[in-house]
Amino acid sequence: MPDQLPDTLTRAHLIGIGGAGMSGIARILLARGAQVSGSDAKESRAFLSLRAQGAEIAVGQRAENLDAFPEGPSSVIVSTAIKDDNPELMAARERGITVLHRAQALAGLMEGHRVACIAGTHGKTSTTSMLTVALQQCRLDPSFAIGGDLNESGANAHHGEGGVFVAEADESDGSFLAYSPSVAVVTNVEPDHLDHHGTAEAYVSVFADFLGRIVPGGLLIVCGDDEGAEKLGALAAERGIRVRRYGRSVTGADDAKVLDYAPAPDGGVVRISLRGEEIVLRVAVPGEHMALNAIAALLAGIELGAPTEGLAEGLAAFGGVRRRFEFKGRAGDVRVYDDYAHHPTEVDAQLRAVRTAAGQGRVVVVFQPHLYSRTKAFSKEFAAALSLADEVVVLDVFGAREKPEPGVSGALIADQISGVPVHYQPAFDVAAKLAADLVEPGDLLVTMGAGDVTQLGPEILAELDRRAG
């Protein structure tokens, strides 16, 4: 039965249980009747939700947290972010408890299901979410695990009663090599996460390794407009793997060719040709890149046996993902959004979409670089992408797992932006007031980045309301 648990997951302890990936695994484990314990550095919305569902969760990480249940955990689940000197991880190893990476745990939850994995440098979360909502519209009730919360349900994971499991597949640490998909989507392949992979060649190579995880008879879906994904598709075909492509440049009989895309105030409309049939997809999120993601989801859904019409209805109803051009509010005639874009290509694509959504208003972006290594490697490309806005505020780097690097700060990007007014503001606590100073009636402001810049949206709205009052 798909809902059975491997023995190692019947009593699971998750270190960092409040994180996006870990909380999703915990949610599914609880739904399947597992005993779940965990810990995190601080309380969060996900933390409190899991506790309400029956998980035993502690604030702070200590060896005694492994004793939440009399029999002790059957496994301890960790992410790459958990270091070897973590007291709970050290205790688990000393006691001989099985230690699983979160990808291994998720692979265990996939057993017995037909698995669809969505990978790629950009667009994974949105495409996974689109496929999930589209399959739900077709009443297939998939299980899913996503790196963001669906706007429809507020959930990042779910145990479904259907035989399909949809998962976002993370290449950042190579952990997606734990999965065995029957349907694999690769939206694009462009060097990133060089702090882990070391070189662009190594990063690309891990996608080639991912091809070997596709089950015999399975399907690879790639964007034919992306050079890296197209090369991966060619390699897959050489290995005898079925491949379907989507995009403007594709020519195969089974490919989904984009005929045209038209932006709309509430998203966009894309017209495609698929197996001799013309299909119109309405997407409620802006940008042609989002339309491409929707086409990928459509192809994956068709492969999983869902009807085209139902999938199209689901894609039209897709309301987005938190932190993916998420509307935060309006103050007077200024709209404020928040977006997770943290790679130059993502920033470029999103700002082009934002330009459409802004109409006649200006686009003001408050950007927070994420990781010192990424900032150093792509400062020129970030500057070029941010130049698409009408006014730019660059914050200092959100280091996350990395230590500061001499000479690497937000100024490295700000100093290379040309053609538009730019403001480098390393003091996070004054950024909201600066942003409020810059906006004018009719403007669209977007906070952008993968760090705590998301906190600024409500602060900017509050500052604008205070000044208006």
Side-chain angles (χ1 to χ4, degrees), residues 7-15 37 62-78 87-101 104:
D7 290 342
T8 53
L9 296 178
T10 55
R11 299 183 314 280
H13 180 85
L14 292 82
I15 306 176
S37 63
R62 301 172 294 275
E64 53 265 34
N65 291 339
L66 301 185
D67 302 322
F69 302 111
E71 296 178 86
S74 54
S75 64
V76 169
I77 302 173
V78 300
E88 295 177 17
L89 177 55
M90 292 174 63
R93 287 172 171 162
E94 289 170 1
R95 300 182 194 183
I97 299 170
T98 298
V99 176
L100 299 174
H101 187 278
Q104 295 173 305

mmCIF file of all heavy atoms in Angstrom, residues 7-15 37 62-78 87-101 104:
data_model
loop_
_atom_site.group_PDB
_atom_site.id
_atom_site.type_symbol
_atom_site.label_atom_id
_atom_site.label_comp_id
_atom_site.label_asym_id
_atom_site.label_seq_id
_atom_site.Cartn_x
_atom_site.Cartn_y
_atom_site.Cartn_z
ATOM 1 N N ASP A 7 10.260 0.811 8.038
ATOM 2 C CA ASP A 7 10.505 0.675 9.480
ATOM 3 C C ASP A 7 11.311 1.846 10.035
ATOM 4 O O ASP A 7 11.090 2.271 11.180
ATOM 5 C CB ASP A 7 11.247 -0.642 9.754
ATOM 6 C CG ASP A 7 10.371 -1.861 9.521
ATOM 7 O OD1 ASP A 7 9.129 -1.701 9.486
ATOM 8 O OD2 ASP A 7 10.926 -2.965 9.351
ATOM 9 N N THR A 8 12.237 2.376 9.240
ATOM 10 C CA THR A 8 13.090 3.458 9.733
ATOM 11 C C THR A 8 12.321 4.757 9.968
ATOM 12 O O THR A 8 12.820 5.656 10.647
ATOM 13 C CB THR A 8 14.237 3.746 8.749
ATOM 14 O OG1 THR A 8 13.685 3.969 7.447
ATOM 15 C CG2 THR A 8 15.221 2.594 8.703
ATOM 16 N N LEU A 9 11.101 4.856 9.432
ATOM 17 C CA LEU A 9 10.356 6.109 9.533
ATOM 18 C C LEU A 9 9.166 6.023 10.491
ATOM 19 O O LEU A 9 8.394 6.978 10.597
ATOM 20 C CB LEU A 9 9.863 6.544 8.143
ATOM 21 C CG LEU A 9 10.956 6.879 7.132
ATOM 22 C CD1 LEU A 9 10.340 7.252 5.792
ATOM 23 C CD2 LEU A 9 11.829 8.022 7.643
ATOM 24 N N THR A 10 9.029 4.927 11.208
ATOM 25 C CA THR A 10 7.874 4.806 12.113
ATOM 26 C C THR A 10 7.995 5.704 13.335
ATOM 27 O O THR A 10 6.990 6.149 13.889
ATOM 28 C CB THR A 10 7.703 3.350 12.564
ATOM 29 O OG1 THR A 10 8.938 2.886 13.154
ATOM 30 C CG2 THR A 10 7.334 2.449 11.384
ATOM 31 N N ARG A 11 9.228 5.966 13.763
ATOM 32 C CA ARG A 11 9.471 6.891 14.879
ATOM 33 C C ARG A 11 10.634 7.795 14.455
ATOM 34 O O ARG A 11 11.798 7.422 14.594
ATOM 35 C CB ARG A 11 9.833 6.142 16.167
ATOM 36 C CG ARG A 11 8.752 5.197 16.665
ATOM 37 C CD ARG A 11 9.144 4.531 17.996
ATOM 38 N NE ARG A 11 10.507 4.029 17.993
ATOM 39 C CZ ARG A 11 10.885 2.866 17.440
ATOM 40 N NH1 ARG A 11 9.996 2.110 16.836
ATOM 41 N NH2 ARG A 11 12.145 2.478 17.494
ATOM 42 N N ALA A 12 10.310 8.939 13.912
ATOM 43 C CA ALA A 12 11.327 9.791 13.283
ATOM 44 C C ALA A 12 11.565 11.048 14.101
ATOM 45 O O ALA A 12 10.627 11.693 14.565
ATOM 46 C CB ALA A 12 10.901 10.163 11.870
ATOM 47 N N HIS A 13 12.830 11.382 14.265
ATOM 48 C CA HIS A 13 13.221 12.629 14.907
ATOM 49 C C HIS A 13 13.876 13.507 13.853
ATOM 50 O O HIS A 13 14.838 13.088 13.195
ATOM 51 C CB HIS A 13 14.206 12.381 16.053
ATOM 52 C CG HIS A 13 14.634 13.646 16.747
ATOM 53 N ND1 HIS A 13 13.913 14.219 17.763
ATOM 54 C CD2 HIS A 13 15.715 14.456 16.540
ATOM 55 C CE1 HIS A 13 14.523 15.321 18.162
ATOM 56 N NE2 HIS A 13 15.620 15.492 17.443
ATOM 57 N N LEU A 14 13.370 14.734 13.678
ATOM 58 C CA LEU A 14 13.865 15.629 12.638
ATOM 59 C C LEU A 14 14.585 16.816 13.269
ATOM 60 O O LEU A 14 13.985 17.574 14.040
ATOM 61 C CB LEU A 14 12.716 16.134 11.765
ATOM 62 C CG LEU A 14 12.020 15.092 10.868
ATOM 63 C CD1 LEU A 14 10.972 14.303 11.659
ATOM 64 C CD2 LEU A 14 11.353 15.756 9.671
ATOM 65 N N ILE A 15 15.860 16.958 12.957
ATOM 66 C CA ILE A 15 16.634 18.095 13.434
ATOM 67 C C ILE A 15 16.402 19.267 12.478
ATOM 68 O O ILE A 15 16.623 19.148 11.282
ATOM 69 C CB ILE A 15 18.133 17.755 13.508
ATOM 70 C CG1 ILE A 15 18.374 16.490 14.336
ATOM 71 C CG2 ILE A 15 18.912 18.925 14.089
ATOM 72 C CD1 ILE A 15 19.827 16.036 14.388
ATOM 73 N N SER A 37 9.123 13.392 16.401
ATOM 74 C CA SER A 37 9.703 14.373 17.310
ATOM 75 C C SER A 37 10.683 15.207 16.522
ATOM 76 O O SER A 37 11.019 14.892 15.388
ATOM 77 C CB SER A 37 10.401 13.694 18.498
ATOM 78 O OG SER A 37 11.504 12.903 18.058
ATOM 79 N N ARG A 62 19.517 19.562 21.787
ATOM 80 C CA ARG A 62 20.219 18.875 22.868
ATOM 81 C C ARG A 62 20.064 17.374 22.692
ATOM 82 O O ARG A 62 19.043 16.910 22.159
ATOM 83 C CB ARG A 62 19.660 19.295 24.227
ATOM 84 C CG ARG A 62 19.760 20.789 24.520
ATOM 85 C CD ARG A 62 19.013 21.159 25.806
ATOM 86 N NE ARG A 62 17.577 20.944 25.657
ATOM 87 C CZ ARG A 62 16.735 21.823 25.124
ATOM 88 N NH1 ARG A 62 17.184 22.989 24.666
ATOM 89 N NH2 ARG A 62 15.453 21.557 25.024
ATOM 90 N N ALA A 63 21.012 16.610 23.174
ATOM 91 C CA ALA A 63 20.978 15.158 23.019
ATOM 92 C C ALA A 63 19.709 14.553 23.614
ATOM 93 O O ALA A 63 19.130 13.607 23.056
ATOM 94 C CB ALA A 63 22.214 14.532 23.672
ATOM 95 N N GLU A 64 19.229 15.098 24.728
ATOM 96 C CA GLU A 64 18.042 14.524 25.382
ATOM 97 C C GLU A 64 16.766 14.687 24.562
ATOM 98 O O GLU A 64 15.746 14.057 24.858
ATOM 99 C CB GLU A 64 17.847 15.126 26.775
ATOM 100 C CG GLU A 64 17.808 16.637 26.828
ATOM 101 C CD GLU A 64 19.166 17.250 27.139
ATOM 102 O OE1 GLU A 64 20.195 16.674 26.708
ATOM 103 O OE2 GLU A 64 19.190 18.308 27.807
ATOM 104 N N ASN A 65 16.806 15.498 23.523
ATOM 105 C CA ASN A 65 15.623 15.629 22.666
ATOM 106 C C ASN A 65 15.316 14.347 21.910
ATOM 107 O O ASN A 65 14.200 14.164 21.418
ATOM 108 C CB ASN A 65 15.811 16.772 21.657
ATOM 109 C CG ASN A 65 15.804 18.138 22.310
ATOM 110 O OD1 ASN A 65 15.288 18.306 23.413
ATOM 111 N ND2 ASN A 65 16.388 19.121 21.629
ATOM 112 N N LEU A 66 16.291 13.440 21.847
ATOM 113 C CA LEU A 66 16.057 12.151 21.193
ATOM 114 C C LEU A 66 15.210 11.217 22.044
ATOM 115 O O LEU A 66 14.816 10.146 21.584
ATOM 116 C CB LEU A 66 17.389 11.463 20.879
ATOM 117 C CG LEU A 66 18.379 12.206 19.969
ATOM 118 C CD1 LEU A 66 19.571 11.320 19.669
ATOM 119 C CD2 LEU A 66 17.714 12.647 18.686
ATOM 120 N N ASP A 67 14.904 11.618 23.285
ATOM 121 C CA ASP A 67 14.184 10.748 24.209
ATOM 122 C C ASP A 67 12.709 11.108 24.320
ATOM 123 O O ASP A 67 12.059 10.805 25.322
ATOM 124 C CB ASP A 67 14.826 10.828 25.601
ATOM 125 C CG ASP A 67 16.298 10.442 25.576
ATOM 126 O OD1 ASP A 67 16.644 9.510 24.821
ATOM 127 O OD2 ASP A 67 17.092 11.070 26.295
ATOM 128 N N ALA A 68 12.158 11.747 23.289
ATOM 129 C CA ALA A 68 10.755 12.170 23.344
ATOM 130 C C ALA A 68 9.808 10.987 23.441
ATOM 131 O O ALA A 68 8.722 11.099 24.024
ATOM 132 C CB ALA A 68 10.420 13.008 22.106
ATOM 133 N N PHE A 69 10.198 9.827 22.899
ATOM 134 C CA PHE A 69 9.368 8.625 22.952
ATOM 135 C C PHE A 69 10.134 7.508 23.647
ATOM 136 O O PHE A 69 11.362 7.397 23.500
ATOM 137 C CB PHE A 69 8.966 8.185 21.541
ATOM 138 C CG PHE A 69 8.216 9.252 20.778
ATOM 139 C CD1 PHE A 69 8.795 9.883 19.693
ATOM 140 C CD2 PHE A 69 6.937 9.630 21.162
ATOM 141 C CE1 PHE A 69 8.116 10.866 18.988
ATOM 142 C CE2 PHE A 69 6.245 10.614 20.469
ATOM 143 C CZ PHE A 69 6.833 11.238 19.385
ATOM 144 N N PRO A 70 9.439 6.659 24.419
ATOM 145 C CA PRO A 70 10.119 5.637 25.235
ATOM 146 C C PRO A 70 11.077 4.743 24.457
ATOM 147 O O PRO A 70 12.159 4.404 24.940
ATOM 148 C CB PRO A 70 8.948 4.829 25.816
ATOM 149 C CG PRO A 70 7.803 5.789 25.832
ATOM 150 C CD PRO A 70 7.979 6.655 24.629
ATOM 151 N N GLU A 71 10.681 4.357 23.259
ATOM 152 C CA GLU A 71 11.518 3.441 22.484
ATOM 153 C C GLU A 71 12.664 4.155 21.773
ATOM 154 O O GLU A 71 13.543 3.505 21.213
ATOM 155 C CB GLU A 71 10.669 2.708 21.435
ATOM 156 C CG GLU A 71 9.605 1.795 22.021
ATOM 157 C CD GLU A 71 8.779 1.156 20.921
ATOM 158 O OE1 GLU A 71 9.202 0.101 20.393
ATOM 159 O OE2 GLU A 71 7.725 1.718 20.573
ATOM 160 N N GLY A 72 12.624 5.472 21.793
ATOM 161 C CA GLY A 72 13.638 6.223 21.057
ATOM 162 C C GLY A 72 13.326 6.226 19.572
ATOM 163 O O GLY A 72 12.499 5.448 19.089
ATOM 164 N N PRO A 73 13.965 7.085 18.819
ATOM 165 C CA PRO A 73 13.669 7.186 17.384
ATOM 166 C C PRO A 73 14.212 6.008 16.589
ATOM 167 O O PRO A 73 15.271 5.451 16.910
ATOM 168 C CB PRO A 73 14.353 8.490 16.974
ATOM 169 C CG PRO A 73 15.454 8.680 17.964
ATOM 170 C CD PRO A 73 14.953 8.091 19.251
ATOM 171 N N SER A 74 13.459 5.622 15.547
ATOM 172 C CA SER A 74 13.958 4.611 14.609
ATOM 173 C C SER A 74 14.914 5.239 13.612
ATOM 174 O O SER A 74 15.703 4.535 12.978
ATOM 175 C CB SER A 74 12.795 3.943 13.875
ATOM 176 O OG SER A 74 11.967 4.911 13.243
ATOM 177 N N SER A 75 14.847 6.564 13.483
ATOM 178 C CA SER A 75 15.798 7.278 12.625
ATOM 179 C C SER A 75 15.853 8.732 13.046
ATOM 180 O O SER A 75 14.912 9.265 13.652
ATOM 181 C CB SER A 75 15.396 7.175 11.148
ATOM 182 O OG SER A 75 14.156 7.821 10.919
ATOM 183 N N VAL A 76 16.964 9.355 12.731
ATOM 184 C CA VAL A 76 17.129 10.790 12.901
ATOM 185 C C VAL A 76 17.340 11.371 11.510
ATOM 186 O O VAL A 76 18.199 10.915 10.751
ATOM 187 C CB VAL A 76 18.319 11.128 13.818
ATOM 188 C CG1 VAL A 76 18.645 12.612 13.760
ATOM 189 C CG2 VAL A 76 18.009 10.707 15.250
ATOM 190 N N ILE A 77 16.531 12.361 11.165
ATOM 191 C CA ILE A 77 16.551 12.928 9.820
ATOM 192 C C ILE A 77 17.222 14.296 9.869
ATOM 193 O O ILE A 77 16.903 15.124 10.723
ATOM 194 C CB ILE A 77 15.113 13.044 9.257
ATOM 195 C CG1 ILE A 77 14.457 11.656 9.248
ATOM 196 C CG2 ILE A 77 15.118 13.638 7.860
ATOM 197 C CD1 ILE A 77 12.982 11.681 8.882
ATOM 198 N N VAL A 78 18.138 14.525 8.933
ATOM 199 C CA VAL A 78 18.909 15.771 8.900
ATOM 200 C C VAL A 78 18.900 16.340 7.489
ATOM 201 O O VAL A 78 18.604 15.641 6.516
ATOM 202 C CB VAL A 78 20.369 15.544 9.346
ATOM 203 C CG1 VAL A 78 20.434 15.005 10.763
ATOM 204 C CG2 VAL A 78 21.084 14.589 8.376
ATOM 205 N N PRO A 87 24.665 18.490 18.528
ATOM 206 C CA PRO A 87 24.587 17.546 19.651
ATOM 207 C C PRO A 87 23.607 16.400 19.422
ATOM 208 O O PRO A 87 23.861 15.271 19.877
ATOM 209 C CB PRO A 87 24.160 18.423 20.829
ATOM 210 C CG PRO A 87 23.596 19.667 20.221
ATOM 211 C CD PRO A 87 24.332 19.865 18.945
ATOM 212 N N GLU A 88 22.520 16.649 18.735
ATOM 213 C CA GLU A 88 21.555 15.573 18.485
ATOM 214 C C GLU A 88 22.087 14.584 17.460
ATOM 215 O O GLU A 88 21.907 13.368 17.596
ATOM 216 C CB GLU A 88 20.215 16.162 18.042
ATOM 217 C CG GLU A 88 19.546 16.985 19.137
ATOM 218 C CD GLU A 88 18.249 17.623 18.682
ATOM 219 O OE1 GLU A 88 17.690 17.207 17.652
ATOM 220 O OE2 GLU A 88 17.792 18.576 19.355
ATOM 221 N N LEU A 89 22.742 15.089 16.432
ATOM 222 C CA LEU A 89 23.338 14.207 15.429
ATOM 223 C C LEU A 89 24.454 13.378 16.054
ATOM 224 O O LEU A 89 24.561 12.165 15.803
ATOM 225 C CB LEU A 89 23.868 15.036 14.266
ATOM 226 C CG LEU A 89 24.583 14.272 13.150
ATOM 227 C CD1 LEU A 89 23.706 13.177 12.587
ATOM 228 C CD2 LEU A 89 25.026 15.235 12.047
ATOM 229 N N MET A 90 25.276 13.998 16.889
ATOM 230 C CA MET A 90 26.350 13.254 17.553
ATOM 231 C C MET A 90 25.775 12.159 18.448
ATOM 232 O O MET A 90 26.268 11.021 18.449
ATOM 233 C CB MET A 90 27.206 14.222 18.375
ATOM 234 C CG MET A 90 28.010 15.209 17.534
ATOM 235 S SD MET A 90 28.879 16.453 18.535
ATOM 236 C CE MET A 90 29.995 15.399 19.463
ATOM 237 N N ALA A 91 24.704 12.479 19.168
ATOM 238 C CA ALA A 91 24.088 11.488 20.049
ATOM 239 C C ALA A 91 23.495 10.338 19.246
ATOM 240 O O ALA A 91 23.580 9.167 19.654
ATOM 241 C CB ALA A 91 23.013 12.156 20.898
ATOM 242 N N ALA A 92 22.882 10.645 18.117
ATOM 243 C CA ALA A 92 22.293 9.595 17.279
ATOM 244 C C ALA A 92 23.359 8.622 16.801
ATOM 245 O O ALA A 92 23.163 7.394 16.824
ATOM 246 C CB ALA A 92 21.579 10.224 16.090
ATOM 247 N N ARG A 93 24.493 9.156 16.398
ATOM 248 C CA ARG A 93 25.563 8.285 15.919
ATOM 249 C C ARG A 93 26.155 7.460 17.051
ATOM 250 O O ARG A 93 26.485 6.276 16.874
ATOM 251 C CB ARG A 93 26.634 9.132 15.237
ATOM 252 C CG ARG A 93 26.176 9.664 13.877
ATOM 253 C CD ARG A 93 27.145 10.651 13.266
ATOM 254 N NE ARG A 93 26.768 10.966 11.883
ATOM 255 C CZ ARG A 93 27.192 12.013 11.202
ATOM 256 N NH1 ARG A 93 28.037 12.880 11.781
ATOM 257 N NH2 ARG A 93 26.811 12.223 9.959
ATOM 258 N N GLU A 94 26.284 8.069 18.225
ATOM 259 C CA GLU A 94 26.817 7.334 19.368
ATOM 260 C C GLU A 94 25.895 6.178 19.767
ATOM 261 O O GLU A 94 26.361 5.118 20.200
ATOM 262 C CB GLU A 94 27.002 8.280 20.555
ATOM 263 C CG GLU A 94 28.153 9.270 20.383
ATOM 264 C CD GLU A 94 28.154 10.341 21.463
ATOM 265 O OE1 GLU A 94 27.264 10.287 22.353
ATOM 266 O OE2 GLU A 94 29.029 11.235 21.421
ATOM 267 N N ARG A 95 24.590 6.375 19.618
ATOM 268 C CA ARG A 95 23.618 5.338 19.986
ATOM 269 C C ARG A 95 23.357 4.338 18.865
ATOM 270 O O ARG A 95 22.599 3.388 19.046
ATOM 271 C CB ARG A 95 22.294 5.989 20.388
ATOM 272 C CG ARG A 95 22.393 6.946 21.577
ATOM 273 C CD ARG A 95 21.018 7.486 21.927
ATOM 274 N NE ARG A 95 21.085 8.632 22.828
ATOM 275 C CZ ARG A 95 20.023 9.257 23.328
ATOM 276 N NH1 ARG A 95 18.796 8.827 23.021
ATOM 277 N NH2 ARG A 95 20.162 10.300 24.121
ATOM 278 N N GLY A 96 23.945 4.561 17.711
ATOM 279 C CA GLY A 96 23.742 3.645 16.596
ATOM 280 C C GLY A 96 22.391 3.796 15.910
ATOM 281 O O GLY A 96 21.916 2.873 15.240
ATOM 282 N N ILE A 97 21.773 4.957 16.063
ATOM 283 C CA ILE A 97 20.477 5.221 15.426
ATOM 284 C C ILE A 97 20.710 5.554 13.949
ATOM 285 O O ILE A 97 21.656 6.262 13.605
ATOM 286 C CB ILE A 97 19.752 6.387 16.123
ATOM 287 C CG1 ILE A 97 19.488 6.045 17.594
ATOM 288 C CG2 ILE A 97 18.440 6.726 15.412
ATOM 289 C CD1 ILE A 97 18.985 7.228 18.406
ATOM 290 N N THR A 98 19.856 5.040 13.095
ATOM 291 C CA THR A 98 19.959 5.318 11.667
ATOM 292 C C THR A 98 19.815 6.816 11.407
ATOM 293 O O THR A 98 18.871 7.448 11.890
ATOM 294 C CB THR A 98 18.865 4.563 10.890
ATOM 295 O OG1 THR A 98 19.045 3.157 11.072
ATOM 296 C CG2 THR A 98 18.926 4.898 9.401
ATOM 297 N N VAL A 99 20.747 7.369 10.669
ATOM 298 C CA VAL A 99 20.696 8.785 10.289
ATOM 299 C C VAL A 99 20.379 8.865 8.803
ATOM 300 O O VAL A 99 21.065 8.263 7.978
ATOM 301 C CB VAL A 99 22.025 9.501 10.597
ATOM 302 C CG1 VAL A 99 21.977 10.947 10.087
ATOM 303 C CG2 VAL A 99 22.324 9.466 12.088
ATOM 304 N N LEU A 100 19.325 9.602 8.469
ATOM 305 C CA LEU A 100 18.892 9.750 7.089
ATOM 306 C C LEU A 100 18.960 11.212 6.666
ATOM 307 O O LEU A 100 18.565 12.101 7.428
ATOM 308 C CB LEU A 100 17.448 9.265 6.917
ATOM 309 C CG LEU A 100 17.131 7.805 7.231
ATOM 310 C CD1 LEU A 100 15.629 7.575 7.134
ATOM 311 C CD2 LEU A 100 17.879 6.880 6.279
ATOM 312 N N HIS A 101 19.459 11.461 5.459
ATOM 313 C CA HIS A 101 19.296 12.785 4.880
ATOM 314 C C HIS A 101 17.819 12.964 4.559
ATOM 315 O O HIS A 101 17.098 11.988 4.283
ATOM 316 C CB HIS A 101 20.142 12.918 3.613
ATOM 317 C CG HIS A 101 20.170 14.305 3.044
ATOM 318 N ND1 HIS A 101 19.163 14.792 2.230
ATOM 319 C CD2 HIS A 101 21.074 15.319 3.175
ATOM 320 C CE1 HIS A 101 19.444 16.038 1.882
ATOM 321 N NE2 HIS A 101 20.602 16.384 2.443
ATOM 322 N N GLN A 104 16.616 11.132 1.587
ATOM 323 C CA GLN A 104 16.429 9.694 1.777
ATOM 324 C C GLN A 104 15.102 9.401 2.474
ATOM 325 O O GLN A 104 14.404 8.437 2.129
ATOM 326 C CB GLN A 104 17.592 9.132 2.600
ATOM 327 C CG GLN A 104 18.940 9.206 1.909
ATOM 328 C CD GLN A 104 20.071 8.788 2.841
ATOM 329 O OE1 GLN A 104 20.227 9.332 3.941
ATOM 330 N NE2 GLN A 104 20.871 7.829 2.412
#
